[in-house]
Amino acid sequence: MKFGSKNSANTPIKCTIRLLDDNQLLYSEFQINEKGSSLISRICEQLDLIEKDYFGLRYVDSKRQRHWLEPSKSIFKQIRDMEADNILFSFRVKFYPPNPFRLKEDITRYQIYLQLKRDLLHGRLYCNTSEAALLGAYILQAELGDFNPEEHIDNYVNELKILLKQTLQLEEKIMDIHKNELKGKTAAEMETIFLKKACVLDTYGVDPHAVKDQRGNQLYLGINHTGILTFQGSKKMNHFSWSQVQKINFEGKMFIIHIILNEKKQTIGFKCPRGSSCRHVWKCAVEQMLFFTFPSSSDVPNVVSGGGFFSWGTKFKYSGRVEREILEDMTITRESPSVTRVGSLRRKSSSEPPTPSNLVINQVAGFNSLPRSLTNTSEEYNTSIDSSNQIDNSSVLETLLEDQEIMTSKIEQEVHHEEILNDHLLIDFTTMGTDGSPLIQSISNQQSGQKHLETTAIRNSESSLSFLRQTLLPVIFALFMMVLIVVIILESDFDVIATIRKAPEIAAFKKNYYEPSKDFLLRRFIRSKIF
């Protein structure tokens, strides 16, 4: 099938959306020319979210590089190198609100709570032992309710996954708080207390990225509403607030921050593992800065960085509202919808997210409900930091990391789900998944052979166009510029250039190659038309 044909343009592409609870999936489809904003809006509509600007869809490409789905661009063009029947998006909080209690609806705050609970489980929400015990107890009360001696016997926390590092001492502290300090508290009250505690931590809303400084030391960048933070091990090293940051750009693998510190301009560079990961860090930093610092989306300029003589720069166009516009929006007048809570604590015996055969989803316009099989694999990534130094008495969570999900499958057989953790922060790396909202029915991701072939043909055509645009065009442009320079040197009358032409090498080149080629072109394309 040729790209651009009538049939290919109407071929729907199926995808799976993992919500903020791994027990909840949505199964959807989109058209080739459909933009990312359309899919994001459908997910938020399904979750009854009006304050949707804080959320986004994340995915992992075939090279295991994570991306945020850009609302203003075609979905298909962004994910074209992924397998046709293995397209997985993760619904996540993209912009963590500085103060969750300025949000207008409880249902939005609940999604923030689910994301933070997930961050705590994976160690991204770094905190010391006492803070971890409090947050763990808050989750326990919200999920299990009051302590019941008949149900909650022995070390009942040991079976549950709440924190990344659950020592026996910490579990005992969590149970003690749950038993003696939180009796009578409702789930909504505990979520409120949890948010108040979590949103003042340094690592609240941090998006971690592995980098190296100019000395080659392993560092991690955290980006959130306050600015750009750097960590070494479990220690925060620097915090560059957005008011200090004047410019953000990247060149190749180097992520560069231009700041004003002590009334002096400084440039700080960090080396990323790959050019693609550097581009991702740059986009994340630019988006966070624009969202939290600009008064209006109409004031946001287009940003370009990373270009060179032989390559195109990366252009970023911000799409959507900024935070100030959201907070000043007075059009939300509906009665706040009720929050349907689903207990999502997993047991330690299950190190992998449940398979979709055990999951439930909702069926809405554009969403289907079909059975499928799914097996899970997980992959762990480690840094060169010695793991023996991970634990100390003052800290429980030794890593901040960002999860990634990628779907791989065999056509008409089984779908393998791999949850990848990269761009980790601090010391430990682990793989898991949690988060979400309520749903109702089991699903499947099988596609007909015909649709798979159609989508593959379209993707192959798009790959050819991508190669042409990214590789061939720069080469042609470079050759054109070289020819133009040669013509200017050998044909112009400027005194400086005339001196260059007198060089023996240039004279020999002109006599042996340039003038014969020039005569040939004149005879072939000009004189032949005259005579």
Side-chain angles (χ1 to χ4, degrees), residues 102-129:
R102 295 190 68 186
L103 297 172
K104 294 180 173 62
E105 297 195 326
D106 291 336
I107 195 169
T108 312
R109 269 187 291 275
Y110 179 67
Q111 294 296 324
I112 305 297
Y113 163 76
L114 291 176
Q115 177 71 70
L116 290 172
K117 187 174 69 169
R118 177 185 176 82
D119 292 344
L120 187 67
L121 172 63
H122 289 283
R124 292 192 296 275
L125 191 62
Y126 177 84
C127 54
N128 60 37
T129 304

PDB file of all heavy atoms in Angstrom, residues 102-129:
ATOM      1  N   ARG A 102      -4.634  24.324  45.007  1.00  0.00           N
ATOM      2  CA  ARG A 102      -5.171  25.394  44.162  1.00  0.00           C
ATOM      3  C   ARG A 102      -5.935  24.817  42.969  1.00  0.00           C
ATOM      4  O   ARG A 102      -6.557  25.576  42.223  1.00  0.00           O
ATOM      5  CB  ARG A 102      -4.044  26.303  43.673  1.00  0.00           C
ATOM      6  CG  ARG A 102      -3.342  27.080  44.781  1.00  0.00           C
ATOM      7  CD  ARG A 102      -2.415  28.133  44.208  1.00  0.00           C
ATOM      8  NE  ARG A 102      -3.176  29.205  43.550  1.00  0.00           N
ATOM      9  CZ  ARG A 102      -2.611  30.195  42.871  1.00  0.00           C
ATOM     10  NH1 ARG A 102      -1.296  30.253  42.759  1.00  0.00           N
ATOM     11  NH2 ARG A 102      -3.355  31.131  42.293  1.00  0.00           N
ATOM     12  N   LEU A 103      -5.862  23.506  42.807  1.00  0.00           N
ATOM     13  CA  LEU A 103      -6.665  22.862  41.777  1.00  0.00           C
ATOM     14  C   LEU A 103      -8.138  22.994  42.145  1.00  0.00           C
ATOM     15  O   LEU A 103      -8.498  23.002  43.325  1.00  0.00           O
ATOM     16  CB  LEU A 103      -6.287  21.388  41.640  1.00  0.00           C
ATOM     17  CG  LEU A 103      -4.845  21.105  41.196  1.00  0.00           C
ATOM     18  CD1 LEU A 103      -4.549  19.610  41.286  1.00  0.00           C
ATOM     19  CD2 LEU A 103      -4.611  21.599  39.780  1.00  0.00           C
ATOM     20  N   LYS A 104      -8.975  23.049  41.152  1.00  0.00           N
ATOM     21  CA  LYS A 104     -10.390  23.335  41.404  1.00  0.00           C
ATOM     22  C   LYS A 104     -11.200  22.094  41.766  1.00  0.00           C
ATOM     23  O   LYS A 104     -12.254  22.216  42.382  1.00  0.00           O
ATOM     24  CB  LYS A 104     -10.991  24.028  40.177  1.00  0.00           C
ATOM     25  CG  LYS A 104     -10.411  25.418  39.922  1.00  0.00           C
ATOM     26  CD  LYS A 104     -11.028  26.061  38.705  1.00  0.00           C
ATOM     27  CE  LYS A 104     -10.569  27.511  38.553  1.00  0.00           C
ATOM     28  NZ  LYS A 104      -9.103  27.605  38.354  1.00  0.00           N
ATOM     29  N   GLU A 105     -10.743  20.906  41.371  1.00  0.00           N
ATOM     30  CA  GLU A 105     -11.567  19.707  41.572  1.00  0.00           C
ATOM     31  C   GLU A 105     -10.796  18.613  42.302  1.00  0.00           C
ATOM     32  O   GLU A 105      -9.603  18.392  42.067  1.00  0.00           O
ATOM     33  CB  GLU A 105     -12.065  19.186  40.224  1.00  0.00           C
ATOM     34  CG  GLU A 105     -12.977  20.158  39.497  1.00  0.00           C
ATOM     35  CD  GLU A 105     -13.751  19.504  38.368  1.00  0.00           C
ATOM     36  OE1 GLU A 105     -13.202  18.582  37.730  1.00  0.00           O
ATOM     37  OE2 GLU A 105     -14.896  19.920  38.118  1.00  0.00           O
ATOM     38  N   ASP A 106     -11.525  17.913  43.171  1.00  0.00           N
ATOM     39  CA  ASP A 106     -10.925  16.816  43.929  1.00  0.00           C
ATOM     40  C   ASP A 106     -10.469  15.685  43.025  1.00  0.00           C
ATOM     41  O   ASP A 106      -9.475  15.003  43.321  1.00  0.00           O
ATOM     42  CB  ASP A 106     -11.947  16.269  44.941  1.00  0.00           C
ATOM     43  CG  ASP A 106     -12.231  17.254  46.058  1.00  0.00           C
ATOM     44  OD1 ASP A 106     -11.364  18.121  46.320  1.00  0.00           O
ATOM     45  OD2 ASP A 106     -13.322  17.175  46.663  1.00  0.00           O
ATOM     46  N   ILE A 107     -11.178  15.478  41.921  1.00  0.00           N
ATOM     47  CA  ILE A 107     -10.846  14.363  41.041  1.00  0.00           C
ATOM     48  C   ILE A 107      -9.471  14.576  40.386  1.00  0.00           C
ATOM     49  O   ILE A 107      -8.750  13.619  40.111  1.00  0.00           O
ATOM     50  CB  ILE A 107     -11.944  14.164  39.978  1.00  0.00           C
ATOM     51  CG1 ILE A 107     -11.785  12.800  39.313  1.00  0.00           C
ATOM     52  CG2 ILE A 107     -11.950  15.289  38.945  1.00  0.00           C
ATOM     53  CD1 ILE A 107     -12.969  12.403  38.456  1.00  0.00           C
ATOM     54  N   THR A 108      -9.101  15.844  40.169  1.00  0.00           N
ATOM     55  CA  THR A 108      -7.765  16.143  39.647  1.00  0.00           C
ATOM     56  C   THR A 108      -6.717  15.882  40.714  1.00  0.00           C
ATOM     57  O   THR A 108      -5.658  15.310  40.441  1.00  0.00           O
ATOM     58  CB  THR A 108      -7.679  17.611  39.183  1.00  0.00           C
ATOM     59  OG1 THR A 108      -8.807  17.923  38.372  1.00  0.00           O
ATOM     60  CG2 THR A 108      -6.400  17.837  38.384  1.00  0.00           C
ATOM     61  N   ARG A 109      -7.009  16.307  41.941  1.00  0.00           N
ATOM     62  CA  ARG A 109      -6.075  16.063  43.042  1.00  0.00           C
ATOM     63  C   ARG A 109      -5.869  14.573  43.268  1.00  0.00           C
ATOM     64  O   ARG A 109      -4.773  14.131  43.638  1.00  0.00           O
ATOM     65  CB  ARG A 109      -6.583  16.735  44.330  1.00  0.00           C
ATOM     66  CG  ARG A 109      -6.080  18.147  44.507  1.00  0.00           C
ATOM     67  CD  ARG A 109      -6.478  18.697  45.882  1.00  0.00           C
ATOM     68  NE  ARG A 109      -7.918  18.898  45.940  1.00  0.00           N
ATOM     69  CZ  ARG A 109      -8.520  20.002  45.505  1.00  0.00           C
ATOM     70  NH1 ARG A 109      -7.811  20.976  44.988  1.00  0.00           N
ATOM     71  NH2 ARG A 109      -9.823  20.133  45.593  1.00  0.00           N
ATOM     72  N   TYR A 110      -6.901  13.778  43.051  1.00  0.00           N
ATOM     73  CA  TYR A 110      -6.770  12.333  43.237  1.00  0.00           C
ATOM     74  C   TYR A 110      -5.769  11.744  42.249  1.00  0.00           C
ATOM     75  O   TYR A 110      -4.983  10.855  42.599  1.00  0.00           O
ATOM     76  CB  TYR A 110      -8.138  11.659  43.071  1.00  0.00           C
ATOM     77  CG  TYR A 110      -8.082  10.155  43.228  1.00  0.00           C
ATOM     78  CD1 TYR A 110      -7.774   9.575  44.452  1.00  0.00           C
ATOM     79  CD2 TYR A 110      -8.349   9.314  42.150  1.00  0.00           C
ATOM     80  CE1 TYR A 110      -7.719   8.201  44.600  1.00  0.00           C
ATOM     81  CE2 TYR A 110      -8.293   7.941  42.283  1.00  0.00           C
ATOM     82  CZ  TYR A 110      -7.978   7.386  43.512  1.00  0.00           C
ATOM     83  OH  TYR A 110      -7.916   6.025  43.658  1.00  0.00           O
ATOM     84  N   GLN A 111      -5.781  12.229  41.020  1.00  0.00           N
ATOM     85  CA  GLN A 111      -4.807  11.757  40.033  1.00  0.00           C
ATOM     86  C   GLN A 111      -3.385  12.170  40.431  1.00  0.00           C
ATOM     87  O   GLN A 111      -2.432  11.401  40.237  1.00  0.00           O
ATOM     88  CB  GLN A 111      -5.147  12.314  38.652  1.00  0.00           C
ATOM     89  CG  GLN A 111      -6.458  11.801  38.062  1.00  0.00           C
ATOM     90  CD  GLN A 111      -6.435  10.304  37.800  1.00  0.00           C
ATOM     91  OE1 GLN A 111      -5.421   9.749  37.415  1.00  0.00           O
ATOM     92  NE2 GLN A 111      -7.576   9.667  38.010  1.00  0.00           N
ATOM     93  N   ILE A 112      -3.224  13.359  41.004  1.00  0.00           N
ATOM     94  CA  ILE A 112      -1.917  13.786  41.501  1.00  0.00           C
ATOM     95  C   ILE A 112      -1.467  12.861  42.630  1.00  0.00           C
ATOM     96  O   ILE A 112      -0.296  12.459  42.705  1.00  0.00           O
ATOM     97  CB  ILE A 112      -1.962  15.246  41.998  1.00  0.00           C
ATOM     98  CG1 ILE A 112      -2.482  16.192  40.902  1.00  0.00           C
ATOM     99  CG2 ILE A 112      -0.587  15.684  42.479  1.00  0.00           C
ATOM    100  CD1 ILE A 112      -1.616  16.266  39.673  1.00  0.00           C
ATOM    101  N   TYR A 113      -2.403  12.508  43.497  1.00  0.00           N
ATOM    102  CA  TYR A 113      -2.096  11.577  44.594  1.00  0.00           C
ATOM    103  C   TYR A 113      -1.627  10.232  44.052  1.00  0.00           C
ATOM    104  O   TYR A 113      -0.634   9.660  44.539  1.00  0.00           O
ATOM    105  CB  TYR A 113      -3.334  11.409  45.482  1.00  0.00           C
ATOM    106  CG  TYR A 113      -3.284  10.194  46.390  1.00  0.00           C
ATOM    107  CD1 TYR A 113      -2.505  10.186  47.535  1.00  0.00           C
ATOM    108  CD2 TYR A 113      -4.022   9.040  46.077  1.00  0.00           C
ATOM    109  CE1 TYR A 113      -2.452   9.068  48.364  1.00  0.00           C
ATOM    110  CE2 TYR A 113      -3.983   7.931  46.884  1.00  0.00           C
ATOM    111  CZ  TYR A 113      -3.191   7.947  48.029  1.00  0.00           C
ATOM    112  OH  TYR A 113      -3.135   6.834  48.825  1.00  0.00           O
ATOM    113  N   LEU A 114      -2.318   9.709  43.048  1.00  0.00           N
ATOM    114  CA  LEU A 114      -1.925   8.419  42.468  1.00  0.00           C
ATOM    115  C   LEU A 114      -0.522   8.482  41.875  1.00  0.00           C
ATOM    116  O   LEU A 114       0.274   7.547  42.012  1.00  0.00           O
ATOM    117  CB  LEU A 114      -2.931   8.001  41.395  1.00  0.00           C
ATOM    118  CG  LEU A 114      -4.326   7.603  41.867  1.00  0.00           C
ATOM    119  CD1 LEU A 114      -5.219   7.303  40.664  1.00  0.00           C
ATOM    120  CD2 LEU A 114      -4.276   6.407  42.800  1.00  0.00           C
ATOM    121  N   GLN A 115      -0.218   9.601  41.213  1.00  0.00           N
ATOM    122  CA  GLN A 115       1.121   9.742  40.631  1.00  0.00           C
ATOM    123  C   GLN A 115       2.187   9.803  41.726  1.00  0.00           C
ATOM    124  O   GLN A 115       3.249   9.171  41.614  1.00  0.00           O
ATOM    125  CB  GLN A 115       1.175  11.007  39.783  1.00  0.00           C
ATOM    126  CG  GLN A 115       2.544  11.303  39.192  1.00  0.00           C
ATOM    127  CD  GLN A 115       2.932  10.327  38.088  1.00  0.00           C
ATOM    128  OE1 GLN A 115       2.352  10.347  37.011  1.00  0.00           O
ATOM    129  NE2 GLN A 115       3.909   9.476  38.367  1.00  0.00           N
ATOM    130  N   LEU A 116       1.928  10.539  42.802  1.00  0.00           N
ATOM    131  CA  LEU A 116       2.903  10.651  43.886  1.00  0.00           C
ATOM    132  C   LEU A 116       3.066   9.336  44.627  1.00  0.00           C
ATOM    133  O   LEU A 116       4.170   8.993  45.076  1.00  0.00           O
ATOM    134  CB  LEU A 116       2.471  11.760  44.853  1.00  0.00           C
ATOM    135  CG  LEU A 116       2.588  13.184  44.305  1.00  0.00           C
ATOM    136  CD1 LEU A 116       1.951  14.174  45.269  1.00  0.00           C
ATOM    137  CD2 LEU A 116       4.041  13.538  44.053  1.00  0.00           C
ATOM    138  N   LYS A 117       1.982   8.595  44.756  1.00  0.00           N
ATOM    139  CA  LYS A 117       2.087   7.276  45.382  1.00  0.00           C
ATOM    140  C   LYS A 117       2.968   6.365  44.533  1.00  0.00           C
ATOM    141  O   LYS A 117       3.777   5.587  45.050  1.00  0.00           O
ATOM    142  CB  LYS A 117       0.682   6.672  45.541  1.00  0.00           C
ATOM    143  CG  LYS A 117       0.664   5.372  46.330  1.00  0.00           C
ATOM    144  CD  LYS A 117      -0.752   4.895  46.581  1.00  0.00           C
ATOM    145  CE  LYS A 117      -1.402   4.448  45.285  1.00  0.00           C
ATOM    146  NZ  LYS A 117      -2.680   3.746  45.532  1.00  0.00           N
ATOM    147  N   ARG A 118       2.849   6.490  43.241  1.00  0.00           N
ATOM    148  CA  ARG A 118       3.699   5.747  42.316  1.00  0.00           C
ATOM    149  C   ARG A 118       5.156   6.202  42.432  1.00  0.00           C
ATOM    150  O   ARG A 118       6.085   5.396  42.439  1.00  0.00           O
ATOM    151  CB  ARG A 118       3.185   5.948  40.890  1.00  0.00           C
ATOM    152  CG  ARG A 118       4.023   5.297  39.825  1.00  0.00           C
ATOM    153  CD  ARG A 118       3.491   5.671  38.446  1.00  0.00           C
ATOM    154  NE  ARG A 118       4.352   5.121  37.412  1.00  0.00           N
ATOM    155  CZ  ARG A 118       4.293   3.881  36.962  1.00  0.00           C
ATOM    156  NH1 ARG A 118       3.393   3.046  37.454  1.00  0.00           N
ATOM    157  NH2 ARG A 118       5.122   3.447  36.035  1.00  0.00           N
ATOM    158  N   ASP A 119       5.356   7.519  42.520  1.00  0.00           N
ATOM    159  CA  ASP A 119       6.704   8.056  42.674  1.00  0.00           C
ATOM    160  C   ASP A 119       7.355   7.548  43.958  1.00  0.00           C
ATOM    161  O   ASP A 119       8.557   7.260  43.990  1.00  0.00           O
ATOM    162  CB  ASP A 119       6.665   9.591  42.694  1.00  0.00           C
ATOM    163  CG  ASP A 119       6.260  10.178  41.354  1.00  0.00           C
ATOM    164  OD1 ASP A 119       6.299   9.446  40.347  1.00  0.00           O
ATOM    165  OD2 ASP A 119       5.902  11.372  41.320  1.00  0.00           O
ATOM    166  N   LEU A 120       6.580   7.460  45.016  1.00  0.00           N
ATOM    167  CA  LEU A 120       7.099   6.964  46.284  1.00  0.00           C
ATOM    168  C   LEU A 120       7.512   5.502  46.168  1.00  0.00           C
ATOM    169  O   LEU A 120       8.563   5.090  46.662  1.00  0.00           O
ATOM    170  CB  LEU A 120       6.041   7.136  47.377  1.00  0.00           C
ATOM    171  CG  LEU A 120       6.486   6.805  48.809  1.00  0.00           C
ATOM    172  CD1 LEU A 120       7.523   7.796  49.289  1.00  0.00           C
ATOM    173  CD2 LEU A 120       5.281   6.790  49.746  1.00  0.00           C
ATOM    174  N   LEU A 121       6.699   4.716  45.500  1.00  0.00           N
ATOM    175  CA  LEU A 121       6.994   3.293  45.321  1.00  0.00           C
ATOM    176  C   LEU A 121       8.284   3.085  44.542  1.00  0.00           C
ATOM    177  O   LEU A 121       9.080   2.200  44.844  1.00  0.00           O
ATOM    178  CB  LEU A 121       5.828   2.614  44.595  1.00  0.00           C
ATOM    179  CG  LEU A 121       6.057   1.165  44.160  1.00  0.00           C
ATOM    180  CD1 LEU A 121       6.285   0.263  45.377  1.00  0.00           C
ATOM    181  CD2 LEU A 121       4.874   0.664  43.345  1.00  0.00           C
ATOM    182  N   HIS A 122       8.522   3.912  43.542  1.00  0.00           N
ATOM    183  CA  HIS A 122       9.699   3.760  42.699  1.00  0.00           C
ATOM    184  C   HIS A 122      10.896   4.554  43.194  1.00  0.00           C
ATOM    185  O   HIS A 122      11.958   4.513  42.578  1.00  0.00           O
ATOM    186  CB  HIS A 122       9.376   4.180  41.265  1.00  0.00           C
ATOM    187  CG  HIS A 122       8.484   3.215  40.556  1.00  0.00           C
ATOM    188  ND1 HIS A 122       8.926   2.017  40.040  1.00  0.00           N
ATOM    189  CD2 HIS A 122       7.160   3.250  40.292  1.00  0.00           C
ATOM    190  CE1 HIS A 122       7.926   1.373  39.488  1.00  0.00           C
ATOM    191  NE2 HIS A 122       6.841   2.101  39.628  1.00  0.00           N
ATOM    192  N   GLY A 123      10.750   5.271  44.292  1.00  0.00           N
ATOM    193  CA  GLY A 123      11.885   5.971  44.862  1.00  0.00           C
ATOM    194  C   GLY A 123      12.149   7.338  44.291  1.00  0.00           C
ATOM    195  O   GLY A 123      13.143   7.972  44.646  1.00  0.00           O
ATOM    196  N   ARG A 124      11.315   7.833  43.409  1.00  0.00           N
ATOM    197  CA  ARG A 124      11.524   9.166  42.853  1.00  0.00           C
ATOM    198  C   ARG A 124      11.197  10.260  43.866  1.00  0.00           C
ATOM    199  O   ARG A 124      11.778  11.329  43.829  1.00  0.00           O
ATOM    200  CB  ARG A 124      10.681   9.364  41.583  1.00  0.00           C
ATOM    201  CG  ARG A 124      11.123   8.512  40.405  1.00  0.00           C
ATOM    202  CD  ARG A 124      10.441   8.959  39.126  1.00  0.00           C
ATOM    203  NE  ARG A 124       9.013   8.784  39.164  1.00  0.00           N
ATOM    204  CZ  ARG A 124       8.377   7.648  38.870  1.00  0.00           C
ATOM    205  NH1 ARG A 124       9.078   6.587  38.525  1.00  0.00           N
ATOM    206  NH2 ARG A 124       7.080   7.561  38.908  1.00  0.00           N
ATOM    207  N   LEU A 125      10.255   9.982  44.742  1.00  0.00           N
ATOM    208  CA  LEU A 125       9.893  10.943  45.781  1.00  0.00           C
ATOM    209  C   LEU A 125      10.803  10.687  46.980  1.00  0.00           C
ATOM    210  O   LEU A 125      10.443  10.003  47.929  1.00  0.00           O
ATOM    211  CB  LEU A 125       8.418  10.795  46.151  1.00  0.00           C
ATOM    212  CG  LEU A 125       7.826  11.889  47.040  1.00  0.00           C
ATOM    213  CD1 LEU A 125       7.879  13.241  46.355  1.00  0.00           C
ATOM    214  CD2 LEU A 125       6.386  11.547  47.416  1.00  0.00           C
ATOM    215  N   TYR A 126      12.012  11.241  46.928  1.00  0.00           N
ATOM    216  CA  TYR A 126      13.037  10.982  47.937  1.00  0.00           C
ATOM    217  C   TYR A 126      12.654  11.609  49.268  1.00  0.00           C
ATOM    218  O   TYR A 126      12.193  12.746  49.326  1.00  0.00           O
ATOM    219  CB  TYR A 126      14.373  11.545  47.462  1.00  0.00           C
ATOM    220  CG  TYR A 126      15.482  11.377  48.471  1.00  0.00           C
ATOM    221  CD1 TYR A 126      16.204  10.198  48.551  1.00  0.00           C
ATOM    222  CD2 TYR A 126      15.785  12.413  49.356  1.00  0.00           C
ATOM    223  CE1 TYR A 126      17.202  10.046  49.479  1.00  0.00           C
ATOM    224  CE2 TYR A 126      16.787  12.268  50.294  1.00  0.00           C
ATOM    225  CZ  TYR A 126      17.494  11.093  50.357  1.00  0.00           C
ATOM    226  OH  TYR A 126      18.486  10.934  51.282  1.00  0.00           O
ATOM    227  N   CYS A 127      12.875  10.864  50.344  1.00  0.00           N
ATOM    228  CA  CYS A 127      12.626  11.396  51.680  1.00  0.00           C
ATOM    229  C   CYS A 127      13.379  10.564  52.704  1.00  0.00           C
ATOM    230  O   CYS A 127      13.840   9.453  52.416  1.00  0.00           O
ATOM    231  CB  CYS A 127      11.131  11.405  51.997  1.00  0.00           C
ATOM    232  SG  CYS A 127      10.318   9.821  51.787  1.00  0.00           S
ATOM    233  N   ASN A 128      13.515  11.092  53.913  1.00  0.00           N
ATOM    234  CA  ASN A 128      14.233  10.358  54.956  1.00  0.00           C
ATOM    235  C   ASN A 128      13.325   9.319  55.602  1.00  0.00           C
ATOM    236  O   ASN A 128      12.155   9.175  55.239  1.00  0.00           O
ATOM    237  CB  ASN A 128      14.815  11.324  55.986  1.00  0.00           C
ATOM    238  CG  ASN A 128      13.745  12.154  56.678  1.00  0.00           C
ATOM    239  OD1 ASN A 128      12.647  11.671  56.964  1.00  0.00           O
ATOM    240  ND2 ASN A 128      14.043  13.424  56.930  1.00  0.00           N
ATOM    241  N   THR A 129      13.858   8.616  56.576  1.00  0.00           N
ATOM    242  CA  THR A 129      13.143   7.487  57.173  1.00  0.00           C
ATOM    243  C   THR A 129      11.819   7.888  57.815  1.00  0.00           C
ATOM    244  O   THR A 129      10.786   7.247  57.597  1.00  0.00           O
ATOM    245  CB  THR A 129      14.038   6.802  58.230  1.00  0.00           C
ATOM    246  OG1 THR A 129      15.261   6.406  57.625  1.00  0.00           O
ATOM    247  CG2 THR A 129      13.348   5.584  58.808  1.00  0.00           C
TER     248      THR A 129
END
